[in-house]
């Protein structure tokens, strides 16, 4: 059933479906996030998007001992604990789960759907992160992430949202700064629109953090294959991530931070099968004064006791 001027809302026992012309999304209560993101029949999610706190250790991190000091954030990145879910459809706030689904048909519509997931970080002490999805008529999703600052925690390597896609992208196009940039590596970059072929990984002797792009207005990721063997479409398909109010940082790689972390040489990395997109609201600098103990300059740290907010738009 098509609703050109409304969202089609499907109330399930374990999930909430939201759809319209050319898109269908499933928000899972059990898995704590957006479980399916289908645009024009193509699935864009291999795993539920999660908050991310870790980037692969750099040589400079090892030299200054930052990876040891902030090791808690690695476990927080690997394991997520969703502690609360709230659903709001138009002006009706369901105030938690379970929803009373027996009163709804398969023909329910809305102008806006907001679903918020609250996470407790697996750190000592623990703090909270909320990820709010606002689905608007036509398919755009505004994603807003909030980290609650907490005293007593080590500095963060990064704070963002990680999306893992079912197949490797053939490339991406973005508007922002040229080349690989970090908060302390932006001075030599130029603003423009750039095409990147494939999912390039910097060929460091020891795999480590790479591929970040700061001050981005939008990025468009293109894929050509899906996991569905019955899908014989020959046309490439794309998804766009755009800034909401402020530019964002992103990396688009074939590996997670943990996969890079676990490899001691490039040949130990697995075959490229997925696309790992990180949209970041805060990124620690990489340093480079030396690799024998010098820390990143203070203005490029991410204090854990300060709140962090950022948002972006997923476009169908």
């Amino acid at each position: 059933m098509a609703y050109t001027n409304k969202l089609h809302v499907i109330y399930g026992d374990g999930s909430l479906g939201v759809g319209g012309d050319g898109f269908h999304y499933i928000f899972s209560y059990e898995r704590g996030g957006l479980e399916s993101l289908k645009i024009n029949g193509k699935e864009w999610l291999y795993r539920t998007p999660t908050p991310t706190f870790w980037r692969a250790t750099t040589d400079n991190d090892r030299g200054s001992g930052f990876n040891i000091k902030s090791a808690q954030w690695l476990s927080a990145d690997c394991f997520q604990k969703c502690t609360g879910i709230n659903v709001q459809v138009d002006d009706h706030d369901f105030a938690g789960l379970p929803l009373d689904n027996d009163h709804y048909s398969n023909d329910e519509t809305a102008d806006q759907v907001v679903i918020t997931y609250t996470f407790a970080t697996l750190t000592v002490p623990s703090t909270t992160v909320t990820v709010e999805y606002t689905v608007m008529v036509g398919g755009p999703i505004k994603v807003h992430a909030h980290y609650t600052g907490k005293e007593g925690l080590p500095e963060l390597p990064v704070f963002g949202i990680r999306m893992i896609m079912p197949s490797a992208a053939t490339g991406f196009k973005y508007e922002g700064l040229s080349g690989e940039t970090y908060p302390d590596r932006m001075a030599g970059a130029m603003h423009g629109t750039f095409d990147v072929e494939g999912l390039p990984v910097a060929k460091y002797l020891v795999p480590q953090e790479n591929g970040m792009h700061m001050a981005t207005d939008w990025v468009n990721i293109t894929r050509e294959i899906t996991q569905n063997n019955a899908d014989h479409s020959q046309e490439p398909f794309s998804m766009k991530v755009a800034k909401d109010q402020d530019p964002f940082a992103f990396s688009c790689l074939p590996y997670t931070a943990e996969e890079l972390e676990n490899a001691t040489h490039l040949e130990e990395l697995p075959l490229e099968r997925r696309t790992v997109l990180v949209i970041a609201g805060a990124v620690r600098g990489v340093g480079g004064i030396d690799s024998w103990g010098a820390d990143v300059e203070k203005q490029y740290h991410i204090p854990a006791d300060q709140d962090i907010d950022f948002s972006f738009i997923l476009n169908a």
Side-chain angles (χ1 to χ4, degrees):
M1 184 176 294
Y3 297 92
T4 56
N5 297 315
K6 291 279 188 177
L7 296 170
H8 181 201
V9 184
I10 304 167
Y11 296 90
D13 292 333
S15 61
L16 184 77
V18 183
D21 285 345
F23 66 93
H24 191 268
Y25 313 139
I26 298 177
F27 294 91
S28 173
Y29 305 142
E30 177 185 1
R31 299 183 185 278
L34 179 60
E35 185 174 36
S36 177
L37 178 68
K38 276 196 173 180
I39 302 172
N40 296 321
K42 307 296 186 182
E43 179 60 69
W44 280 91
L45 291 179
Y46 179 69
R47 290 287 186 268
T48 301
T50 56
T52 185
F53 311 99
W54 191 257
R55 63 158 199 224
T57 304
T58 68
D59 289 337
N60 294 318
D61 291 334
R62 294 186 187 92
S64 65
F66 173 72
N67 56 328
I68 304 300
K69 299 170 191 173
S70 293
Q72 287 190 64
W73 291 117
L74 175 56
S75 62
D77 192 81
C78 289
F79 305 105
Q80 308 282 335
K81 182 181 180 182
C82 182
T83 57
I85 302 172
N86 190 73
V87 176
Q88 184 175 345
V89 179
D90 287 339
D91 295 328
H92 183 65
D93 192 328
F94 287 88
L97 299 175
L99 304 186
D100 186 4
N101 297 330
D102 294 338
H103 297 295
Y104 298 98
S105 69
N106 191 42
D107 298 320
E108 304 297 330
T109 62
D111 292 315
Q112 179 175 280
V113 174
V114 181
I115 184 163
T116 305
Y117 296 91
T118 300
F119 299 87
T121 62
L122 301 183
T123 54
V124 181
S126 180
T127 188
T128 59
V129 171
T130 58
V131 181
E132 179 185 88
Y133 299 90
T134 301
V135 186
M136 296 166 278
V137 170
I141 307 176
K142 176 181 175 180
V143 184
H144 175 255
H146 173 80
Y147 165 87
T148 303
K150 185 79 170 183
E151 290 187 7
L153 285 171
E155 294 176 354
L156 291 101
V158 69
F159 175 60
I161 300 293
R162 178 176 56 226
M163 299 174 62
I164 302 180
M165 301 172 187
S167 58
T170 55
F172 56 92
K173 184 176 183 178
Y174 71 97
E175 182 180 352
L177 297 180
S178 58
E180 180 182 273
T181 51
Y182 287 86
D184 52 356
R185 298 284 180 88
M186 295 171 60
M190 298 184 296
H191 185 274
T193 301
F194 306 96
D195 277 295
V196 178
E197 184 176 344
L199 298 171
V201 176
K203 297 186 182 302
Y204 294 115
L205 181 62
V206 177
Q208 54 193 277
E209 164 66 19
N210 70 99
M212 189 62 69
H213 303 274
M214 303 295 298
T216 304
D217 293 325
W218 55 263
V219 57
N220 197 62
I221 299 101
T222 299
R223 294 163 49 218
E224 292 183 353
I225 59 172
T226 69
Q227 284 192 304
N228 182 358
N229 290 330
D231 186 350
H232 300 299
S233 172
Q234 301 298 315
E235 294 296 323
F237 49 98
S238 300
M239 183 184 72
K240 187 175 183 179
V241 181
K243 70 177 182 181
D244 178 29
Q245 296 179 342
D246 299 317
F248 56 86
F250 82 94
S251 66
C252 194
L253 298 169
Y255 307 118
T256 64
E258 287 78 14
E259 287 174 318
L260 290 169
E261 194 77 58
N262 286 335
T264 58
H265 293 89
L266 280 172
E267 61 268 21
E268 295 177 10
L269 290 169
L271 295 175
E272 296 185 2
R273 295 180 298 166
R274 316 278 182 230
T275 301
V276 181
L277 176 67
V278 171
I279 305 295
V283 179
R284 180 181 170 88
V286 291
I289 298 171
D290 62 49
S291 296
W292 301 272
D295 199 357
V296 173
E297 294 183 353
K298 187 174 182 180
Q299 64 267 36
Y300 305 120
H301 292 207
I302 308 176
D305 59 355
Q306 297 178 14
D307 288 9
I308 305 171
D309 279 277
F310 75 98
S311 58
F312 56 92
I313 308 291
L314 292 173
N315 285 296

